Amino acid sequence: MLALLGFLMILLFMVLIMTKRLSAMVALIAVPIIFALIGGFGKEIGPMALEGIKSVAPTGIMILFAILFFGILIDAGVFDPVISAILKIVKGDPVKIAIGTAVLALMISLDGDGTTTYMITISAMLPLYKRIGMKPLVLAGIAVSASGVMNLLPWGGPTARAMTALHLEMHDIFTPVIPSMIAGILFVLFMSYCLGRKERKRIGVLQIDFRTTAMQAAAAEGPSLKRPRLIAVNYLLTIALLAGLIKELLPAPVLFMAGFAIAIIINYPKLSDQKERVSHYADNALSVVSMVFAAGIFTGILSGTKMVDAMANTMITHIPDAFGSHFALITAIISAPFTFFMSNDAFYYGILPLISKAAAGYGIDPAFIGRASLLGLPVHLLSPLVPSTYLLVGMVGEEFGDLQRSFLKWACGSAGIMILAAIVLSIIPL
């Protein structure tokens, strides 16, 4: 009964947002409450929802101050040289622009943080997309696809969770998967080429002055906000923040809060300027952070009612014994829907050990199961439970459902290519 309720809840949620019957934020709040009432959990809705909100609070705080931090740097002109370099290469060709977007997103994703990737990539490329007439949804799709592959990096989160849950080392899980990651990267570049070709066919190749466009690409409202004399200091601050995130010197929310405080004091020491800059980004920050807390209610009720556990057990117990020797491949395939419909913590700490234990009965090494569990991650970032994706769609001004409808097939293709490469290269057994 719980499993059925869980599947119906997720199905209804997806239908509502993809058909635009409800906004994602309203659906994230209303749908789980309705199903919790149907399941007889009326008295427990409050505690479960609060627990879910508490679990996403650090992420919400991190995204809030990441928006403010990168917003200050963008206004100060920190990324203008990067934008100019990219525009000089891609010029007005949609194919080059799409591929350039993928390369930029892949490079920035090396820090393992989707929020950083989206903030920098969208800020750098969105003005050019608008200038050329390319669809901002294409920009969002390329960025999330690149981040989906690079999400496998150990400091990105899922790989570390898999290693912890199965008590394995990086050389057991991550290192062998690198060739699959390379295959995924190549697929993202191929996808970008295809999307660029489609846009080129629609709007053609424009002859533009990249120097003029570079100036237009600056996200600041006016030249008075630029701080060219502080660009080296701002670069050092950005590098220090990214290094702190990678080395986990402090929790990510604390690092972004400290980074924002330093950035705004250095670049805009006047109190009136500081208030103006914070106010400028308030709308975007509010819409994204409110979505994060709404997602917390969804995940809190999904976990608190044990619907997640029931759904997982239903799927695992329905794997026929004849397929037991193919448990690694099955794990790779089901990792996509599992990480789409539940949080990474729920999957890697709750479900993966169960799968590994079941596979051990067929003589399959836990390392193979750990590797397989990572291969569906390109699909994960299109989940309505991933807070940073709301930031992405908010920055490009698109609907979450439109991003899912347009790029879920590409995400499945990316996961499929990675799984195929893993089988061919014996990273996981067939």
Side-chain angles (χ1 to χ4, degrees):
M1 179 64 179
L2 282 177
L4 179 60
L5 278 177
F7 286 121
L8 288 175
M9 181 173 82
I10 290 170
L11 178 63
L12 177 61
F13 172 79
M14 296 298 294
V15 169
L16 287 174
I17 65 170
M18 294 184 79
T19 58
K20 299 183 180 180
R21 300 291 178 87
L22 287 178
S23 69
M25 183 171 68
V26 174
L28 283 167
I29 298 170
V31 172
I33 290 176
I34 291 170
F35 275 84
L37 290 171
I38 293 173
F41 296 97
K43 294 181 179 179
E44 302 166 48
I45 289 176
M48 289 187 297
L50 280 177
E51 191 62 32
I53 292 171
K54 289 177 184 177
S55 69
V56 300
T59 302
I61 294 168
M62 180 192 73
I63 289 178
L64 169 62
F65 283 94
I67 291 171
L68 295 174
F69 174 77
F70 285 108
I72 294 299
L73 296 187
I74 291 163
D75 286 345
V78 170
F79 301 110
D80 288 0
V82 178
I83 296 170
S84 297
I86 293 172
L87 297 180
K88 187 174 182 179
I89 296 171
V90 302
K91 297 185 179 178
D93 187 347
V95 173
K96 293 180 180 179
I97 292 170
I99 295 174
T101 302
V103 172
L104 179 63
L106 288 166
M107 289 176 62
I108 298 171
S109 294
L110 287 170
D111 79 328
D113 180 55
T115 302
T116 306
T117 300
Y118 302 148
M119 286 293 295
I120 297 177
T121 303
I122 305 306
S123 299
M125 302 302 293
L126 183 59
L128 176 60
Y129 273 67
K130 290 182 176 179
R131 170 72 175 83
I132 297 296
M134 292 178 67
K135 296 176 181 177
L137 190 64
V138 172
L139 169 58
I142 293 173
V144 77
S145 299
S147 188
V149 174
M150 301 302 285
N151 199 31
L152 273 70
L153 291 168
W155 48 87
T159 302
R161 290 181 176 90
M163 291 189 294
T164 302
L166 300 180
H167 307 290
L168 296 171
E169 300 296 330
M170 190 162 68
H171 62 80
D172 296 317
I173 293 184
F174 173 68
T175 306
V177 174
I178 291 175
S180 279
M181 278 188 67
I182 294 172
I185 289 170
L186 293 175
F187 182 83
V188 170
L189 293 173
F190 169 74
M191 178 198 77
S192 303
Y193 171 78
C194 293
L195 293 172
R197 281 284 300 271
K198 187 176 180 180
E199 289 295 273
R200 180 200 276 172
K201 185 176 180 180
R202 185 175 67 87
I203 61 177
V205 177
L206 277 68
Q207 299 298 322
I208 60 172
D209 183 348
F210 76 87
R211 290 168 295 185
T212 302
T213 307
M215 289 188 288
Q216 293 174 342
E221 293 177 334
S224 62
L225 296 174
K226 303 294 183 184
R227 298 293 184 266
R229 294 180 180 178
L230 295 173
I231 193 164
V233 176
N234 284 322
Y235 274 133
L236 288 174
L237 178 59
T238 305
I239 293 169
L241 176 62
L242 297 179
L245 289 169
I246 293 170
K247 292 183 176 293
E248 298 181 355
L249 297 179
L250 290 172
V254 177
L255 285 171
F256 273 111
M257 291 173 77
F260 160 71
I262 295 170
I264 199 167
I265 290 172
I266 290 174
N267 291 284
Y268 306 104
K270 291 183 179 179
L271 184 59
S272 58
D273 290 339
Q274 293 178 6
K275 289 181 177 180
E276 183 183 354
R277 289 299 89 210
V278 172
S279 176
H280 178 73
Y281 290 101
D283 287 346
N284 187 28
L286 177 63
S287 64
V288 173
V289 174
S290 60
M291 198 82 73
V292 171
F293 287 114
I297 293 179
F298 191 98
T299 56
I301 291 176
L302 194 63
S303 300
T305 57
K306 304 298 181 183
M307 290 183 192
V308 162
D309 298 335
M311 292 162 64
N313 288 328
T314 297
M315 293 185 69
I316 293 172
T317 55
H318 280 75
I319 297 175
D321 290 338
F323 292 169
S325 60
H326 305 293
F327 238 105
L329 175 60
I330 292 171
T331 302
I333 294 171
I334 67 174
S335 67
F338 266 123
T339 56
F340 185 86
F341 292 128
M342 64 181 70
S343 69
N344 276 335
D345 286 338
F347 176 66
Y348 286 104
Y349 293 135
I351 308 305
L352 186 60
L354 298 178
I355 297 176
S356 178
K357 186 176 180 180
Y362 296 95
I364 299 175
D365 192 318
F368 289 131
I369 300 300
R371 296 170 199 170
S373 70
L374 302 175
L375 300 177
L377 283 174
V379 178
H380 166 68
L381 289 187
L382 287 172
S383 166
L385 307 180
V386 179
S388 61
T389 311
Y390 292 108
L391 169 65
L392 174 65
V393 294
M395 289 188 72
V396 298
E398 297 287 347
E399 294 293 329
F400 196 98
D402 291 337
L403 181 68
Q404 288 181 321
R405 189 163 46 249
S406 300
F407 284 92
L408 261 177
K409 59 180 179 292
W410 289 108
C412 291
S414 182
I417 289 295
M418 291 172 64
I419 293 171
L420 181 61
I423 293 172
V424 171
L425 300 173
S426 300
I427 297 170
I428 63 171
L430 179 60

